[in-house]
Each structure stands twice: as C-alpha cells, then as structure tokens.
C-alpha cells in the first residue's frame, strides 16, 4: 500500500483554548501530514462531555476548535474535518467493544488512575474514555494516529481492542500505530511540568502580545547569573527556543554553554520570536471567526464523509457479531 492510501486520524477535545503544547505535540503535525495520508481530523465533543456540563460552552468551544484548525492551516480540500458527534456510529461501536473489554484492563489506564489519585469523581465516561477513542480510530480503519506522548497508551488500547475483536470474530480491524514525534513529545509548561490546560501553566497558541509577555516573564528558571554557563536541557526557556528561535539556536547554544546570556535577555529574545510566530496565526484566526457559516459548512461536509465510512464499517461489525 502506498503512503497516500494510508489513513490518518486524530482529534482534540473542545475544552479550553489550545496551547503551544497541543500545537507542537499534535495540531501542527496534522497540518504537516495532511498531504501524505487520507487525513481525518475531528473535534472530540463526545469525549468533552465527560467533563463539560455547559451546553452553550461546548457548542462554542467546538466551533472554536474548528476555527483553530483552519487558522493553523488544515485544508478542508485535503483533510476531512468533522465533529465526532456527527458520527454516532462510534458510540455504537464503543458499546460492542465494551462487551469485549474487561474492567481490570481499563483500570490500568493512566488517565483513570490519575483521576482516582486526585480523588476526582470518576464517571463511567471517564473510565470508558479509551474505548470510545478506540472506536473513533478503528471505525475509520486508521493506520496512524498522530498524538502527543500522553495519548500513546490510548492508541495502544485501541490496538489491543482491535486484536481482541479480530480474535473473537475474525479479521475485521487494522492495528493502528501511534505517530509520536520524539522531539516534541512533551512540551513543558511555564512551571516546567508538562504543559496542560488542567495545570494552568499554558501559553495559548493565539495569545495576545500582553499575554505572551506576561507568560514568558513568568517562566521559572534557576538563579544563575549572566556570566555563568547554563544547562540547556533543564531550562524551560531553552525548550521554547528550540520551537521558536530556530535561526538563533546555534548562537543561543553557545551563549548558554559558555555563559554570557542572562535569563532576562533570553526571555526578551523568546518574547520577540513568539510574537513573530503567533501574531499572523492570531490574525488569520480572527478573520476566519468573522464569518462562521463556511466553517459550519466544512464540518457538515466532513461529518457526512466520515459518517459514510463509519456506516460501512459498523455494518461489517454487525455482520461479524451476529447483530445483522
Ligand atoms: P491538555 O493536557 O492540555 O488537556 P489534551 O489532552 O486536550 O491537552 O491534548 C490534545 C493533544 O495535544 C493530544 O494529542 C496531546 O497528546 C497533545 N498534547 C497535550 N499537551 C501536550 C504537551 N505538553 N506536549 C506535547 N503534546 C501535548
Ligand atoms: N483523547 C484525545 C485527547 O485527549 C482526543 C481523542 C479522542 C483522540 N479520540 C481520539 C485522539 C482518537 C486521537 C484519536 O487529546
């Protein structure tokens, strides 16, 4: 099979604004890969329901993610962009997978264990989250799933689920591969921990100039003086230079290694480069947001295409299981 015919799928939950970790870990890669695959990118609104109870907010944030996708360069002529809930067949497939999946197996999932450890209320949706995700992936016969490191286990659960089904009912599903770029697998937040909406340590992908300044100035560093050599690997600022200061990187590396740059100057350089990068994205987004009708139409079209392939697959599953 040529690379062109391979199927790529991924999604992002519409909960909160995307940050540069989401962008470099996942979203940018959707754009980079859209020429090489049959690309399908969706808004994971069913998954968002595990935490979101405000209908107005969910509706708005779903549309916002669609606008974000277009602003960063996803091209609806190349990528099928759709809302997960327009493909109801995924919930049907998730139920069928539920009947094959054991509780102890899902109890090992990181997201569930984290929620338990934090004493969060765990609804059944949270527990079953990886199975709905497996359905998203397998119903489209996806070959590859570009995600950040934190989603690797979920793609492995999808693979295991495909194997389990194939063993029980005969060869039906392809085994998908996670596509993780090791260079950007985990982008740190401004406090040095993994950048995540739930840790409040993010830099928004569409941040205003003021937000960029405030957030970069808030990055935690050690207390080494200007003249002292600095450790690039341990410095969050430097992790961002690798993403935003490509041209100056060799010079910055030398100055970090030999001493001769203070964190204040390093932050100022970063602020300038981030602004140069984010401003055109923010402006493009603003323009798209002025008229959302074409965006809604893109989602509608994408939903129909995704539903068509899902419908064919679920029919195959129903025949295999005896439901049809
Ligand atoms: P968050 O942790 O902020 O809620 P999501 O779970 O919505 O982010 O993740 C959306 C996508 O972005 C996933 O593919 C995830 O792997 C990726 N991602 C999230 N945070 C990071 C990060 N800090 N570094 C790299 N990729 C990330
Ligand atoms: N769980 C993913 C996240 O939190 C979103 C998601 C849902 C997804 N279904 C998917 C990603 C299928 C890739 C493929 O970011």
């Amino acid at each position: 099979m040529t690379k062109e015919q391979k199927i790529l799928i991924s999604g992002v939950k519409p909960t909160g604004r995307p940050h540069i970790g989401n962008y470099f870990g996942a979203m940018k890669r959707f754009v980079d890969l859209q020429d090489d695959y049959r690309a399908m990118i969706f808004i994971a609104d069913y998954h968002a329901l595990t935490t979101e109870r405000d209908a107005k907010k969910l509706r708005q944030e779903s549309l916002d993610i669609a606008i974000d996708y277009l602003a960063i360069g996803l091209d609806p002529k190349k990528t099928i962009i759709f809302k997960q809930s327009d493909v109801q067949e995924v919930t049907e497939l998730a139920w069928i997978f539920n009947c094959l999946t054991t509780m102890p197996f899902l109890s090992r999932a990181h997201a569930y264990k984290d929620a338990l450890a934090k004493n969060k209320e765990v609804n059944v949706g949270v527990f079953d989250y990886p199975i709905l995700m497996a359905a998203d992936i397998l119903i489209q016969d996806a070959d590859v799933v570009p995600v950040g490191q934190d989603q690797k286990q979920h793609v492995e659960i999808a693979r295991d689920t495909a194997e389990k089904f194939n063993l029980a009912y005969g060869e039906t599903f392809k085994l998908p591969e996670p596509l993780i770029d090791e260079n950007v697998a985990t982008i740190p937040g401004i406090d040095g921990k993994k950048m995540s909406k739930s840790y409040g340590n993010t830099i928004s992908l569409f941040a205003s100039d003021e937000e960029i300044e405030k957030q970069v100035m808030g990055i935690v560093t050690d207390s080494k003086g200007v003249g002292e050599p600095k450790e690039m690997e341990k410095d969050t600022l430097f992790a961002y230079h690798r993403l935003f200061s490509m041209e100056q990187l060799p010079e910055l590396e030398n100055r970090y290694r030999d001493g001769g740059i203070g964190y204040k100057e390093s932050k100022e350089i970063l602020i300038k480069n981030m602004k140069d990068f984010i401003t055109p994205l923010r402006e493009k987004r603003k323009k798209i947001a002025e008229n959302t009708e074409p965006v809604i139409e893109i989602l509608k079209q994408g939903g129909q295409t995704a539903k068509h392939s899902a419908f064919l697959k679920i029919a195959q599953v129903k025949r295999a299981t005896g439901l049809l």
Side-chain angles (χ1 to χ4, degrees):
M1 191 187 261
T2 64
K3 213 178 170 195
E4 276 73 26
Q5 290 165 309
K6 287 201 172 181
I7 300 170
L8 171 152
I9 196 161
S10 195
V12 171
K13 265 183 301 172
T15 46
R17 304 304 299 128
H19 50 73
I20 60 174
N22 298 140
Y23 178 70
F24 287 101
M27 296 166 76
K28 175 180 187 293
R29 308 188 53 235
F30 305 164
V31 180
D32 295 343
L33 295 164
Q34 66 181 338
D35 290 315
D36 300 335
Y37 294 89
R38 178 179 198 257
M40 308 187 77
I41 299 296
F42 65 94
I43 299 156
D45 53 354
Y46 277 143
H47 276 110
L49 272 187
T50 57
T51 52
E52 184 59 77
R53 294 289 139 79
D54 183 334
K56 200 164 154 231
K57 204 161 157 223
L58 182 61
R59 205 170 285 124
Q60 184 60 47
E61 293 196 326
S62 297
L63 184 62
D64 278 339
I65 297 278
I67 299 169
D68 299 340
Y69 280 153
L70 297 170
I72 63 168
L74 269 195
D75 177 352
K77 290 195 200 77
K78 298 178 181 167
T79 299
I80 301 157
I81 307 173
F82 65 104
K83 253 174 39 167
Q84 183 185 30
S85 61
D86 280 341
V87 185
Q88 295 97 321
E89 287 79 2
V90 293
T91 58
E92 194 176 353
L93 184 58
W95 173 257
I96 295 170
F97 288 159
N98 278 340
C99 299
L100 282 171
T101 306
T102 67
M103 304 270 287
F105 178 71
L106 281 188
S107 305
R108 291 199 291 270
H110 299 314
Y112 168 68
K113 285 204 292 194
D114 284 356
L116 274 191
K118 286 183 190 143
N119 268 328
K120 285 195 193 158
E121 188 187 82
V122 181
N123 58 49
V124 178
V126 169
F127 184 67
D128 203 31
Y129 187 109
I131 292 301
L132 182 59
M133 183 158 160
D136 292 327
I137 298 169
L138 302 178
I139 207 164
Q140 300 294 352
D141 271 332
D143 297 280
V144 294
V145 187
V147 281
Q149 183 68 35
D150 59 349
Q151 295 295 317
K152 186 173 179 219
Q153 191 194 34
H154 286 156
V155 182
E156 284 164 359
I157 292 176
R159 266 183 88 89
D160 288 346
T161 305
E163 277 184 322
K164 227 173 273 172
F165 188 99
N166 291 348
L167 199 65
Y169 294 109
E171 219 37 52
T172 308
F173 291 109
K174 279 190 207 165
L175 306 189
E177 296 277 354
L179 216 57
I180 295 169
D181 181 345
E182 294 306 329
N183 298 318
V184 288
T186 307
I187 310 288
I190 57 174
D191 57 358
K193 286 196 290 190
K194 174 197 167 240
M195 184 174 288
S196 172
K197 282 165 235 162
S198 37
Y199 301 154
N201 61 359
T202 63
I203 298 179
S204 162
L205 178 57
F206 300 99
S208 65
D209 283 356
E210 297 70 41
E211 282 166 339
I212 295 172
E213 283 162 26
K214 191 166 163 253
Q215 286 164 338
V216 171
M217 282 305 170
I219 293 171
V220 180
T221 62
D222 59 34
S223 54
K224 291 204 172 81
V226 177
E228 289 176 77
K230 300 183 176 62
E231 289 179 82
M232 287 169 262
E233 295 318 315
K234 289 191 187 155
D235 181 36
T236 308
L237 268 177
F238 205 86
Y240 297 145
H241 279 308
R242 286 191 206 283
L243 304 171
F244 294 97
S245 312
M246 292 307 283
E247 277 173 28
Q248 292 131 296
L249 210 57
E251 182 202 329
L252 283 167
E253 271 171 1
N254 287 338
R255 295 182 69 196
Y256 261 70
R257 192 178 311 110
D258 304 338
I261 184 167
Y263 289 119
K264 183 161 177 287
E265 186 189 346
S266 182
K267 285 182 174 179
E268 284 161 357
I269 295 171
L270 183 64
I271 287 172
K272 175 174 183 312
N273 293 341
M274 271 194 182
K275 283 183 183 172
D276 287 348
F277 179 84
I278 288 178
T279 305
L281 278 187
R282 198 178 57 225
E283 278 166 10
K284 189 166 169 210
R285 189 187 190 286
K286 195 166 156 235
K287 240 189 148 89
I288 297 170
E290 278 165 14
N291 178 15
T292 53
E293 258 171 53
V295 183
I296 293 168
E297 187 54 33
I298 289 166
L299 290 181
K300 199 172 139 206
Q301 297 280 332
Q304 283 169 1
T305 309
K307 194 174 170 68
H308 179 72
S309 37
F311 177 79
L312 296 176
K313 195 75 200 181
I314 201 85
Q316 191 187 346
V317 169
K318 283 183 155 180
R319 277 193 297 275
T321 47
L323 291 168
L324 202 75

